[in-house]
């Protein structure tokens, strides 16, 4: 956990296209270990080591400087109140 | 004797995965001549803000047939291994259950509850003591004992989890040929359909099996009829519920 203000991905767990698009333009993407991959084709936030699953979606815990452009500022992600 | 060895909470965002540690323990078990291991399975547990998991809260478990006198050395070895190899900041737990000695229903029930509710270490230790199951912690808060016991319970139930790793096959194969692939115990339709040995299956690259009825099952779905192919394997996305 890096302690930065984590934001939950508003696309839930099955917005495959948006999770792929986010990861495509993220400099911090690191593939998770094989048994935790749910897409296993190309890049996806769903397969990224830095996504932390929640009951309905995930939050990104990647290095703040690297992911800021694609996650924190992107409309796909809703800040928690 | 048949045992289940389950571990949880050994990793952090930079380390090796818990699945790899489970595989290494399984390899050691064979290397030391203690017995034979089978399939490492991944079991999804509850995702909840009150549970301090790193990123996915899953337990890893494997089954093994071992000599009775190997049980204690195996437990000692696995415990020391987790103590040494688990990632900084993790809270590793180890569970080893002798299948013939445990009340399976209670263990399975614990595993099922761990998918739906927040359980405590105290509950896990109390159940393990009552069932005569080995449960130990090997660093940090030791919170991983909850997932370790739950993983063993779910594996014992035989209807939960995906296999670690994938099958190194692709193309069109008959059901009979697929049943000869190491790691495939059975083939079944996702909606419970049965398949015939001569049926052809379009196999996507590196398919994964899931645990159903205590077996490693390759799930298939009806394919667009083409060249006599009746079935196709499922993508990982479609196996998430396991
Ligand atoms: S670091 Fe965050 S935004 Fe970037 S790919 Fe991973 S989960 Fe997605």
């Amino acid at each position: 956990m890096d302690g930065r203000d984590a934001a939950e991905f508003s696309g839930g767990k099955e917005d495959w296209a948006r999770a792929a698009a986010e990861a495509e333009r993220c400099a911090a993407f690191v593939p998770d270990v094989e048994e935790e991959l749910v897409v296993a084709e190309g890049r996806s936030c769903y397969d990224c080591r830095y996504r932390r699953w929640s009951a309905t979606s995930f939050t990104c815990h990647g290095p703040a400087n690297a992911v800021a452009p694609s996650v924190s500022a992107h409309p796909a992600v809703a800040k928690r109140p | 004797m048949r045992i289940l060895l389950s571990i949880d909470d050994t990793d952090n965002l930079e380390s090796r995965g818990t699945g790899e540690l489970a595989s290494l323990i399984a390899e050691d078990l064979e290397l030391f001549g203690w017995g034979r291991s089978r399939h490492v399975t991944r079991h999804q547990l509850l995702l909840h803000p009150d549970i301090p998991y790193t990123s996915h809260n899953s337990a890893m478990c494997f089954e093994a047939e071992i000599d009775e006198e190997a049980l204690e050395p195996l437990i000692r070895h696995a415990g020391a291994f987790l103590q040494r190899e688990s990632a900084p900041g993790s809270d590793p737990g180890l569970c080893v259950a002798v299948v013939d000695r445990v009340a399976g229903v209670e263990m399975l029930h614990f595993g099922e509850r761990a998918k739906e509710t927040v359980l405590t270490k105290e509950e896990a230790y109390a159940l393990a003591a009552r069932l005569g199951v080995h449960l130990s912690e090997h660093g940090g808060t030791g919170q991983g004992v909850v997932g370790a016991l739950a993983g063993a319970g779910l594996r014992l139930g035989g209807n939960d989890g995906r296999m670690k790793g994938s099958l190194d096959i692709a193309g069109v194969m008959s059901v009979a040929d697929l049943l000869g692939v190491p790691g495939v115990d059975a083939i079944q339709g996702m909606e419970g359909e049965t398949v015939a040995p001569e049926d052809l299956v379009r196999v996507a690259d590196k398919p994964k099996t899931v645990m159903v009825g205590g077996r490693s099952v390759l799930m298939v779905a009806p394919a667009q009829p083409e060249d006599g192919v009746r079935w196709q394997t499922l993508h990982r996305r479609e196996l998430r519920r396991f």
Side-chain angles (χ1 to χ4, degrees):
Chain A
M1 219 60 47
D2 63 7
R4 87 194 170 90
D5 183 17
E8 190 158 286
F9 179 61
S10 66
K13 294 188 176 184
E14 298 204 347
D15 193 339
W16 310 104
R18 205 145 44 120
E22 292 289 348
E24 273 307 325
R25 56 171 188 243
C26 176
F29 173 81
V30 177
D32 205 343
V33 294
E34 183 277 337
E35 61 269 22
E36 300 299 340
L37 302 181
V38 293
V39 181
E41 289 165 357
R43 286 179 170 216
S44 170
C45 285
Y46 293 150
D47 281 354
C48 178
R49 194 116 208 214
Y50 294 121
R51 56 93 182 86
R52 182 177 193 268
W53 293 112
S54 62
T56 53
S57 183
F58 73 88
T59 50
C60 170
H61 294 262
N65 54 350
V67 294
S70 59
V71 169
S72 300
H74 195 271
V77 175
K79 281 277 181 194
R80 278 198 189 129
Chain B
M1 59 168 59
R2 192 156 74 96
I3 62 140
L4 296 173
L5 189 151
S6 173
I7 62 176
D8 187 29
D9 213 334
T10 71
D11 59 352
N12 65 24
L13 286 176
E14 275 79 41
S15 71
R16 292 186 289 190
T18 302
E20 186 175 343
L21 296 195
S23 292
L24 289 169
I25 295 170
E27 277 173 29
D28 283 351
L29 180 152
E30 300 204 1
L31 202 68
F32 296 147
W34 289 335
R36 298 295 306 262
S37 66
R38 279 190 91 222
H39 308 309
V40 175
T41 41
R42 173 201 184 275
H43 302 274
Q44 180 66 58
L45 305 175
L46 182 68
L47 297 164
H48 189 280
D50 291 346
I51 299 177
Y53 57 90
T54 309
S55 62
H56 28 66
N57 200 27
S58 56
M60 306 296 299
C61 184
F62 68 83
E63 180 186 320
E65 191 67 42
I66 65 166
D67 300 329
E68 190 149 358
E69 57 274 19
L71 180 63
E72 285 310 316
L74 171 64
I75 289 171
R76 274 200 304 276
H77 176 74
F81 181 85
L82 290 185
Q83 194 96 30
R84 195 174 63 240
E85 301 293 337
S86 294
S90 65
D91 307 308
L94 166 71
C95 175
V96 182
V98 177
V99 173
D100 292 341
R101 294 184 194 159
V102 296
V105 178
E106 267 197 277
M107 258 184 71
L108 171 60
H109 185 54
F110 185 88
E112 288 171 340
R113 284 178 62 219
K115 290 171 94 70
E116 286 166 5
T117 185
V118 180
L119 298 171
T120 64
K121 272 171 61 173
E122 290 67 34
E123 288 173 271
Y125 276 125
L127 179 62
R130 200 163 68 244
L131 298 180
V133 167
H134 173 86
L135 191 64
S136 54
E137 53 190 78
H138 299 280
T141 67
Q143 186 65 29
V145 293
V146 174
L149 182 62
L154 290 165
R155 176 72 183 252
L156 193 62
N159 285 305
D160 185 272
R162 309 193 282 265
M163 304 304 147
K164 174 176 177 280
S166 53
L167 304 169
D168 199 13
I169 50 172
V172 173
M173 296 175 73
S174 71
V175 166
D177 286 345
L178 281 168
L179 286 171
V181 172
V184 179
D185 296 335
I187 299 165
Q188 166 181 321
M190 193 70 163
E191 304 300 328
E193 309 100 313
T194 51
V195 297
E198 64 278 11
D199 285 355
L200 294 179
V201 182
R202 185 170 299 110
V203 181
D205 199 26
K206 298 196 180 305
K208 218 172 178 43
T209 57
V210 296
M211 178 131 286
V212 179
R215 300 188 296 178
S216 173
V217 176
L218 184 64
M219 285 288 174
V220 295
Q224 294 290 345
E226 190 188 319
D227 301 331
V229 176
R230 273 200 75 186
W231 306 100
Q232 61 191 15
T233 54
L234 291 160
H235 191 275
R236 281 174 189 242
R237 282 190 288 258
E238 298 158 300
L239 299 174
R240 287 188 69 179
R241 70 176 169 89
F242 289 96

